[in-house]
Amino acid sequence: MARSPLMAEQRRIPLLITRYGLAITSVALAFVTVFVLQCFRVRDPFALVFLSALAVSVWYGGSGPGILAFLLSVLGLSLFLHSPRGWLRVDFYDVPTYCIFALLGFLIHRFSQSRRRVEHLLQESRNHLESEVIERTSELRRRDLHLTEAQCISHTGSWAWNESTGRGFWTPGLFRILGIAPGTVRPSPSAYMAHVYPDDQAGFESARVEALRNRSGLDHQHRVVQPDGSIRHVRVWGRPFPADGEDLEFIGTVMDVTEQVEDHAVLQRHLKTIEDLLEEKKILQEQLRRENISLHELTRALQGEIAAIQKTRFEKIVGSSPAIHRTLVRVNQVAPTDSTVLITGETGTGKELIAQAIHDNSSRAKKPFISVNCAALPSSLIAAELFGYEKGAFTGADRQRLGRFELADNGTIFLDEIGELPLETQASLLRVLEEHTVERLGGTKPIPVDVRVIAATNRDLQAAMRISEFRQDLFYRLNVFPIDVPPLRERREDIPELVSHFISLYASKHGKTIRNIESRGIDLLRSYDWPGNIRELKNVVETSVIVSSGEVLAIDEELLFGGGLGEDAPIGSLEKEMANHERVLIERALEKTQGRVYGQAGAAAILHVPPTTLSAKIKALKIDTTKFKSR
């Protein structure tokens, strides 16, 4: 580290005074000496004495003090070597003395400059060396701190041991692992062995001795005991290190692996627990398999009983699919109550049958079930139809007439297509639901009625409420217990059973004997989407029964896919757009397969539809497959 310029300036001023004082003092001493010699009549040493004063001044004082000493010496010599001709006169005899005096003074000055230059270089080298030593020492200390911190973080400590000299070294990390303060123990193998767990000492000593004998690496895991009695698991690594002469030196590191050992022990316990659980799982699976066999047999028996009960309670509802089963569960839940029910579903799904099933399984089963199709009644007459009228209430009312609500007293009224009710009639219906009374047109007296209301619609009443076509308060009065009837496309597994039911019904009606249906016909019926649902299926089956000439029923594809798609649809209609889209997809597939429909490389496989369905589509859309075979 360089010295401060201020400190150097503070030291230079006293040194300058000392140097010039030395010159004056040296010449003064020379003058006194020469004066004493003169007193004793000694002449020749005068120049030598002043030369000595000059040499001391130049040597220790430098150029400035040397010049001062030279001038003072010349002045002194002129006093002692004065000429008879007067002061400051030089005789010929004294000229050589002055010349020699000046020459020797110059030589001493040059030698003094060389000495001072060398001293300056030596001082600079010393300062530079001191700065380097300070920097290197600081760097070593910083690295030592980094090493100590890194070993603290990694739970490690380093050691070194010379077997020949007995000298050793431990880092603070190793002292920390052993639980002792650094410097309290002289590092040695015996000092370390004193901290090794007694049961592990023999194994560690054997490994250490073997590493010394074979001059090989050391790797051993054992336990150490800290002064407070706590036990730590450590792993020691070491290897021989080249030393001077025949000395054997080992260096190595110690790592605290207690956390890893404890984690491994926890992992082993967890693995053992998992193995036990797996074994227990196997036992439980075997037990469950045996129980499942019994449960499966019991389930089949219960399913049979449920089917029998369902057939008895819901004999008019055909089907056993999960979708219709969920609906019947809802029916069974609400039937014993008097709650208002709102049945939703697409047209033709059998909403009236669901309403009839609710009535038949309720406490009102022996009472009237009145069905009203709100969409079939003119808006001007629907209030009179529902609530009745008095004689003379309007033109043509020549007698009193009871409304549907009065006719359904103590029973059930089914309001189909409730979404088509006019708004003014909706308000009257809401009052009936709230007050349980009706008032005939032209009447003034409220008539109490005890009627359970079941409503149905295929409209989205939420959307109707948003455009103010259906009252919100009436919706929440009706939607006490909603039931959604699934469309036929969501219960395709019921199609064979429904077909069998309709065949039996219409074969008897039309005097036909139908014993079976073509498998191709069942495939066609399954692949169709049934926008008209069960009502459409019933019409298709009745038509097929009418045109059937044998005991095996055949399904005509024209009945399913020849319903006027494509050319007969009005421009811009949804049906025409869908037909055009289907035509494009089918023609692309036929172009790829060169007009082939059936087989794994056919158009049906590309479009993922049954070949019979695709053939019916091609026929309905009037697509000529021959024009693709030449491409």
Side-chain angles (χ1 to χ4, degrees):
M1 185 179 298
R3 294 180 179 178
S4 173
L6 181 60
M7 293 178 60
E9 182 65 22
Q10 291 175 350
R11 294 183 58 186
R12 191 177 67 83
I13 295 175
L15 288 176
L16 185 65
I17 297 174
T18 304
R19 287 163 53 196
Y20 279 93
L22 179 63
I24 297 173
T25 303
S26 300
V27 174
L29 290 174
F31 185 85
V32 171
T33 303
V34 173
F35 182 77
V36 171
L37 292 176
Q38 188 182 33
C39 291
F40 288 97
R41 306 298 180 180
V42 179
R43 175 182 173 85
D44 294 336
F46 295 166
L48 180 61
V49 173
F50 281 104
L51 183 61
S52 299
L54 177 62
V56 171
S57 299
V58 173
W59 184 262
Y60 291 102
S63 301
I67 294 173
L68 177 60
F70 177 76
L71 295 176
L72 293 175
S73 298
V74 171
L75 181 59
L77 284 175
S78 64
L79 292 175
F80 290 102
L81 299 177
H82 58 275
S83 173
R85 292 177 294 173
W87 295 99
L88 299 179
R89 296 287 185 174
V90 179
D91 293 334
F92 180 76
Y93 173 79
D94 295 324
V95 170
T97 301
Y98 285 108
C99 291
I100 293 174
F101 181 81
L103 178 61
L104 290 177
F106 176 75
L107 293 176
I108 292 172
H109 169 68
R110 295 293 296 173
F111 184 72
S112 175
Q113 283 186 334
S114 299
R115 181 187 67 83
R116 291 185 179 281
R117 190 181 305 111
V118 171
E119 286 181 351
H120 178 70
L121 293 176
L122 289 176
Q123 185 64 36
E124 287 184 349
S125 299
R126 178 182 176 182
N127 293 340
H128 179 71
L129 182 60
E130 287 179 353
S131 176
E132 286 288 332
V133 170
I134 292 173
E135 291 179 0
R136 294 292 179 87
T137 302
S138 176
E139 179 68 18
L140 289 175
R141 288 177 179 174
R142 187 174 62 85
R143 291 185 179 182
D144 183 65
L145 290 175
H146 289 175
L147 177 61
T148 302
E149 188 65 23
Q151 289 187 343
C152 179
I153 295 173
S154 61
H155 303 288
T156 58
S158 301
W159 55 272
W161 178 252
N162 191 309
E163 286 292 330
S164 301
T165 62
R167 292 193 298 269
F169 170 75
W170 290 354
T171 62
L174 181 52
F175 283 100
R176 183 173 53 255
I177 292 174
L178 297 178
I180 56 179
T184 56
V185 176
R186 183 175 180 272
S188 67
S190 59
Y192 181 81
M193 188 65 69
H195 291 82
V196 178
Y197 192 75
D199 294 346
D200 299 342
Q201 289 182 357
F204 176 64
E205 181 63 20
S206 176
R208 191 182 74 86
V209 171
E210 183 178 357
L212 290 173
R213 182 172 58 251
N214 299 330
R215 293 178 179 262
S216 59
L218 172 65
D219 185 357
H220 191 267
Q221 183 169 327
H222 51 269
R223 293 165 292 178
V224 296
V225 182
Q226 295 183 344
D228 59 0
S230 58
I231 298 176
R232 309 294 295 179
H233 293 265
V234 299
R235 187 172 182 180
V236 178
W237 291 276
R239 62 182 178 85
F241 184 75
D244 296 336
E246 298 297 326
D247 289 350
L248 178 60
E249 187 172 0
F250 262 77
I251 62 172
T253 186
V254 178
M255 176 179 286
D256 189 341
V257 294
T258 305
E259 293 181 1
Q260 293 89 323
V261 172
E262 292 176 351
D263 291 343
H264 181 72
V266 172
L267 179 61
Q268 291 297 323
R269 289 197 297 271
H270 288 174
L271 290 175
K272 182 65 171 60
T273 303
I274 292 173
E275 290 176 357
D276 295 341
L277 291 175
L278 290 175
E279 186 64 27
E280 184 179 355
K281 179 184 175 183
K282 291 180 181 178
I283 297 173
L284 292 176
Q285 283 179 338
E286 179 61 24
Q287 182 180 354
L288 183 62
R289 187 186 66 81
R290 292 194 298 267
E291 292 178 355
N292 281 341
I293 295 174
S294 302
L295 184 60
H296 183 65
E297 296 174 353
L298 180 60
T299 302
R300 285 190 297 180
L302 290 175
Q303 286 176 344
E305 294 180 6
I306 291 173
I309 295 172
Q310 177 178 325
K311 187 175 182 181
T312 303
R313 300 186 62 184
F314 311 110
E315 56 183 356
K316 296 181 181 179
I317 300 175
V318 180
S320 57
S321 64
I324 195 64
H325 177 70
R326 288 191 294 270
T327 301
L328 294 180
V329 168
R330 299 277 290 174
V331 170
N332 194 49
Q333 290 172 340
V334 76
T337 71
D338 284 336
S339 298
T340 305
V341 179
L342 178 61
I343 304 174
T344 57
E346 298 178 6
T347 181
T349 53
K351 295 186 286 297
E352 186 171 355
L353 287 178
I354 297 298
Q356 184 70 57
I358 294 174
H359 173 75
D360 292 343
N361 290 275
S362 69
S363 59
R364 302 171 183 263
K366 296 181 180 180
K367 301 298 180 178
F369 177 80
I370 304 299
S371 177
V372 181
N373 190 332
C374 300
L377 297 174
S379 59
S380 60
L381 299 178
I382 192 168
E385 187 71 23
L386 291 175
F387 310 122
Y389 54 86
E390 297 288 350
K391 182 179 177 179
F394 52 85
T395 303
D398 55 353
R399 59 184 176 85
Q400 183 190 67
R401 182 176 179 180
L402 301 182
R404 296 297 182 95
F405 271 92
E406 289 185 75
L407 294 174
D409 192 24
N410 294 319
T412 302
I413 187 170
F414 173 57
L415 302 177
D416 196 9
E417 302 299 341
I418 191 69
E420 306 303 325
L421 275 180
L423 287 174
E424 59 271 14
T425 309
Q426 292 179 25
S428 301
L429 177 60
L430 178 62
R431 186 177 62 184
V432 173
L433 293 175
E434 290 177 344
E435 300 178 1
H436 300 287
T437 60
V438 294
E439 188 173 328
R440 301 190 192 110
L441 296 181
T444 59
K445 180 181 179 181
I447 302 171
V449 290
D450 179 15
V451 180
R452 180 180 193 173
V453 179
I454 300 177
T457 182
N458 59 8
R459 289 187 62 186
D460 184 357
L461 296 184
Q462 298 279 359
M465 286 190 295
R466 287 195 291 270
I467 59 176
S468 300
E469 290 185 358
F470 198 85
R471 293 177 64 97
Q472 187 176 16
D473 47 4
L474 178 59
F475 171 78
Y476 290 116
R477 274 290 182 181
L478 295 173
N479 196 38
V480 175
F481 193 90
I483 296 179
D484 184 60
V485 183
L488 186 56
R489 61 180 174 273
E490 294 180 5
R491 42 181 298 209
R492 297 179 189 273
E493 56 267 52
D494 289 337
I495 290 178
E497 189 175 352
L498 289 167
V499 170
S500 298
H501 172 74
F502 292 139
I503 288 175
S504 175
L505 178 64
Y506 293 114
S508 175
K509 177 180 178 181
H510 296 291
K512 297 290 185 78
T513 301
I514 307 294
R515 301 186 183 279
N516 203 351
I517 183 174
E518 290 180 345
S519 59
R520 174 176 173 274
I522 290 294
D523 291 341
L524 284 174
L525 296 176
R526 286 178 181 272
S527 63
Y528 187 55
D529 284 339
W530 301 109
N533 292 292
I534 297 176
R535 183 183 294 119
E536 184 180 5
L537 175 62
K538 180 173 66 173
N539 295 339
V540 169
V541 173
E542 184 176 9
T543 303
S544 300
V545 168
I546 292 173
V547 301
S548 175
S549 58
E551 295 184 350
V552 178
L553 184 69
I555 303 297
D556 189 0
E557 295 179 5
E558 289 289 339
L559 296 175
L560 301 177
F561 305 107
L565 294 177
E567 300 298 332
D568 295 335
I571 297 176
S573 69
L574 178 62
E575 288 185 345
K576 183 166 184 177
E577 292 297 327
M578 293 175 62
N580 291 336
H581 185 62
E582 287 182 344
R583 179 186 294 276
V584 172
L585 294 177
I586 293 173
E587 287 182 349
R588 288 178 182 174
L590 290 173
E591 185 176 0
K592 290 182 180 179
T593 61
Q594 297 183 349
R596 184 177 179 182
V597 177
Y598 293 82
Q600 295 182 352
I606 294 176
L607 296 174
H608 301 286
V609 296
T612 54
T613 303
L614 183 59
S615 298
K617 288 280 187 181
I618 291 173
K619 187 176 179 180
L621 295 172
K622 299 178 182 179
I623 299 175
D624 184 10
T625 59
T626 58
K627 66 180 182 180
F628 299 101
K629 294 182 179 180
S630 59
R631 297 186 180 182

